[in-house]
Amino acid sequence: MKKSWTDIVKTGNIRLLLTWAAVIVFVLSLLPVFALAGVDRASADDWSFGALTHLAWMDTHSVFQVMRAAFASVKKYYYGWQGTWFSVFLFSLQPEVFSHEAYCIVPFLMTGVLIAGVSCFLYNLLVRLLHVSRQDFLLLDAILLLTMIQFVPYKTSAIFWYNGAVHYTVPFALALAACASFLHCVVDFRKRDVILSAVFMTLLGGTNYLAAILGLTLFLLLGILTYKRERRVLWMLVPMALETVGLLISALAPGNALRGGDDYEITAGRMIQAVFESFEQGAAGMFRTIEAYPVAMAAMLVTAVLLWDILRETVPDSGISFPCPALVILYFWCVYCAMYWPVVFVGGSVEDGSVSVGVPNTFFWVFILALFASLLYGTGWLMEKKKAGKEGHGIPLYVAGFGAAFLLVAVCRLDLKNSTDYACYYYIRTGRAAVYKEQMDEFTELVTREDVEDVVVPFIVGEQEPLVHLPLTLDKDDFINQKMAEFFGKKSMVAIPRDEWDRQHEIR
């Protein structure tokens, strides 16, 4: 006999209701993001990195020739700009290389990659390793993803701008996918998972340094915690070694020195000094995140309540041990601080805007992940020591925890305007999305005309947040003008004020 919703609540089994609610809210939260997909267009570095591959596609329509051009792009930038070889390879394959209508896949692609990476990692951690039910996994997964997507600091670089997202969103997900393969090996050792981890970790070495450090530090922790259970996790030293090789190849690129200028140098003293500064900036960043994202913190408070209720049922019967909780939680904080090390080492800072906007996104995601892991491990240790079994006071706990969370949201409700959904909704509601689409359609028509080699277009006007547009200038020798001319196969490209454009094209 099926239970009614009232019966479910009366018996204290409210997690089923919460799971349905969380999953539905999460799915609905993606709709405003996907509503902007048809408006999203390439911009900025998309043009420069995609030039060689786009010309190869236009000349041959051969995937093989496009791949050759992609590797040529890697070589070009490795010696002339930066060593992040896998990121550059992905840069060169931005969707508009193949079609000017293809960029609409970027929001779907980037949210899909993030969802896949986080969900795959959580599934292997919670369901396969800790024996949490699939229902509870869905509940925690939905809350974590909702927090990560809705309150990521820079929506543009996380979701809508291919070049930025492929350099930060994709590597973050790649690191978690590698860890998921690690966990799969712990539970059910298979050499193909070692191979998969090796592929993921090798590629991670050619992306941004934050994600590369994240992969190495998480692998180290997982190895220490699971070695007694499965000695064959020592095979994971192979993926770690391969990522280190890929990272060294990236770090030693001649282009790094050219980009860094005369002050660029790698010394042991500077590396050690950066470690201490990273802890200082990490502590400041932690308090800054807690203060800046109160609604996200409310979501983590709800997560803490759910973990308490879930783990009191699963831990006593699972036989899973949670040794040295203070040291492990301290390690999670060190992993978060380690994200600051590459930034500190090159003399950058989030506060002065001297780093890519993808960097704060990674800081935020790793902070949420570290906070979740700390709550999970700490609660697991308490349940192990308490040996509470399935008895407990679930409903009072929910009332207290959820009440505190809702109070925090009510007091800090203005923070909801910082959400990704609100940014997308506001951009659409104000008509800016429609205006931008109309202007970009006009722009595409002008720059793809085969009978014009010296292109003149009107400026794109209006605010594009959460999308991005780096406009052409009046100077044909400007960097962006040259790169866009190269991408579209033109001799030159310039932009003029729209009122001047309208006067020149006024129908008489």
Side-chain angles (χ1 to χ4, degrees):
M1 181 178 178
K2 291 185 177 180
K3 294 182 179 180
S4 67
W5 296 116
T6 306
D7 292 332
I8 292 174
V9 174
K10 283 182 178 179
T11 58
N13 186 20
I14 62 175
R15 293 205 304 271
L16 178 59
L17 292 174
L18 292 174
T19 300
W20 277 101
V23 171
I24 290 172
V25 169
F26 173 64
V27 171
L28 293 177
S29 74
L30 297 176
L31 297 182
V33 176
F34 296 157
L36 278 183
V39 185
D40 202 10
R41 295 298 299 272
S43 183
D45 291 343
D46 288 328
W47 307 117
S48 57
F49 286 103
L52 295 181
T53 47
H54 179 62
L55 294 177
W57 176 253
M58 295 302 293
D59 290 343
T60 65
H61 280 77
S62 166
V63 175
F64 175 74
Q65 293 301 325
V66 170
M67 290 298 106
R68 287 189 61 184
F71 285 113
S73 296
V74 172
K75 181 178 179 180
K76 171 185 175 182
Y77 288 103
Y78 186 82
Y79 286 96
W81 179 71
Q82 184 168 293
T84 50
W85 47 273
F86 184 59
S87 286
V88 173
F89 177 79
L90 295 178
F91 292 164
S92 67
L93 298 177
Q94 64 102 342
E96 286 203 16
V97 164
F98 304 97
S99 170
H100 298 300
E101 289 77 39
Y103 208 82
C104 63
I105 71 170
V106 173
F108 295 97
L109 182 63
M110 296 310 161
T111 53
V113 165
L114 184 59
I115 290 170
V118 172
S119 300
C120 189
F121 173 69
L122 282 186
Y123 181 84
N124 280 277
L125 175 63
L126 297 175
V127 178
R128 292 183 60 83
L129 186 65
L130 300 181
H131 308 297
V132 170
S133 71
R134 288 180 173 85
Q135 172 195 307
D136 291 330
F137 151 71
L138 285 174
L139 174 57
L140 295 171
D141 189 42
I143 294 174
L144 204 61
L145 284 170
L146 191 66
T147 304
M148 286 182 167
I149 293 175
Q150 289 301 316
F151 295 100
V152 62
Y154 294 95
K155 289 73 171 149
T156 299
S157 193
I159 299 171
F160 297 102
W161 181 35
Y162 177 86
N163 189 275
V166 88
H167 192 45
Y168 289 99
T169 304
V170 171
F172 176 75
L174 196 62
L176 295 185
C179 291
S181 296
F182 190 122
L183 291 170
H184 200 284
C185 279
V186 173
V187 178
D188 182 18
F189 182 84
R190 298 182 303 181
K191 287 187 178 180
R192 62 183 176 184
D193 288 315
V194 178
I195 295 172
L196 194 60
S197 291
V199 172
F200 289 154
M201 292 288 280
T202 302
L203 297 178
L204 201 59
T207 63
N208 74 79
Y209 301 135
L210 284 71
I213 292 174
L214 178 64
L216 289 174
T217 53
L218 289 181
F219 259 53
L220 178 61
L221 177 63
L222 290 175
I224 293 172
L225 292 178
T226 61
Y227 175 70
K228 285 187 178 180
R229 171 172 174 158
E230 175 55 78
R231 299 296 177 91
R232 288 177 293 184
V233 297
L234 288 176
W235 276 96
M236 288 302 168
L237 291 174
V238 175
M240 292 180 69
L242 290 174
E243 193 210 304
T244 303
V245 171
L247 191 57
L248 287 174
I249 292 173
S250 175
L252 297 176
N256 292 341
L258 292 175
R259 188 184 185 195
D262 296 334
D263 296 332
Y264 179 82
E265 61 176 347
I266 300 177
T267 64
R270 178 57 188 148
M271 293 171 71
I272 295 173
Q273 180 185 356
V275 170
F276 292 102
E277 293 180 17
S278 297
F279 281 104
E280 180 181 347
Q281 289 204 19
M286 177 180 65
F287 289 110
R288 188 166 56 245
T289 301
I290 293 173
E291 180 182 4
Y293 302 100
V295 177
M297 295 305 102
M300 298 311 294
L301 177 58
V302 168
T303 301
V305 173
L306 293 171
L307 284 172
W308 181 278
D309 195 33
I310 292 168
L311 295 181
R312 72 181 174 84
E313 295 179 2
T314 58
V315 169
D317 298 330
S318 67
I320 300 294
S321 178
F322 297 85
C324 307
L327 287 178
V328 173
I329 292 173
L330 177 62
Y331 186 89
F332 290 140
W333 183 69
C334 291
V335 170
Y336 170 68
C337 292
M339 297 300 100
Y340 287 82
W341 186 87
V343 176
V344 172
F345 180 73
V346 298
S349 172
V350 174
E351 294 186 7
D352 64 14
S354 61
V355 296
S356 169
V357 293
V359 171
N361 290 347
T362 303
F363 289 167
F364 177 77
W365 285 332
V366 174
F367 176 78
I368 294 298
L369 190 66
L371 181 55
F372 174 83
S374 299
L375 292 172
L376 175 65
Y377 201 91
T379 304
W381 177 80
L382 288 173
M383 295 301 105
E384 179 189 359
K385 297 302 179 185
K386 185 180 178 184
K387 301 186 184 300
K390 297 185 178 182
E391 296 77 19
H393 304 285
I395 292 180
L397 177 67
Y398 279 103
V399 171
F402 279 60
F406 286 132
L407 179 62
L408 182 59
V409 171
V411 173
C412 306
R413 62 184 181 275
L414 291 179
D415 185 41
L416 292 172
K417 290 189 175 182
N418 294 325
S419 68
T420 299
D421 274 356
Y422 185 85
C424 295
Y425 162 75
Y426 186 78
Y427 188 59
I428 295 171
R429 184 181 67 82
T430 56
R432 295 176 181 178
V435 172
Y436 180 64
K437 185 178 187 307
E438 181 181 349
Q439 292 183 92
M440 290 305 296
D441 288 343
E442 177 189 42
F443 170 84
T444 302
E445 181 183 357
L446 293 171
V447 298
T448 55
R449 289 180 56 180
E450 296 181 357
D451 59 333
V452 178
E453 293 186 334
D454 296 296
V455 178
V456 179
V457 299
F459 280 121
I460 303 297
V461 298
E463 176 60 47
Q464 270 69 59
E465 183 72 28
L467 306 185
V468 62
H469 180 75
L470 186 63
L472 288 166
T473 70
L474 292 165
D475 182 7
K476 68 178 181 179
D477 295 323
D478 186 80
F479 176 80
I480 188 64
N481 292 51
Q482 291 181 342
K483 291 304 177 182
M484 290 183 69
E486 182 183 357
F487 184 90
F488 290 103
K490 304 299 182 181
K491 286 185 177 179
S492 67
M493 291 182 68
V494 296
I496 60 176
R498 183 159 287 273
D499 56 353
E500 182 180 343
W501 169 269
D502 291 338
R503 285 195 301 270
Q504 291 182 6
H505 294 79
E506 183 180 359
I507 300 177
R508 294 179 174 84

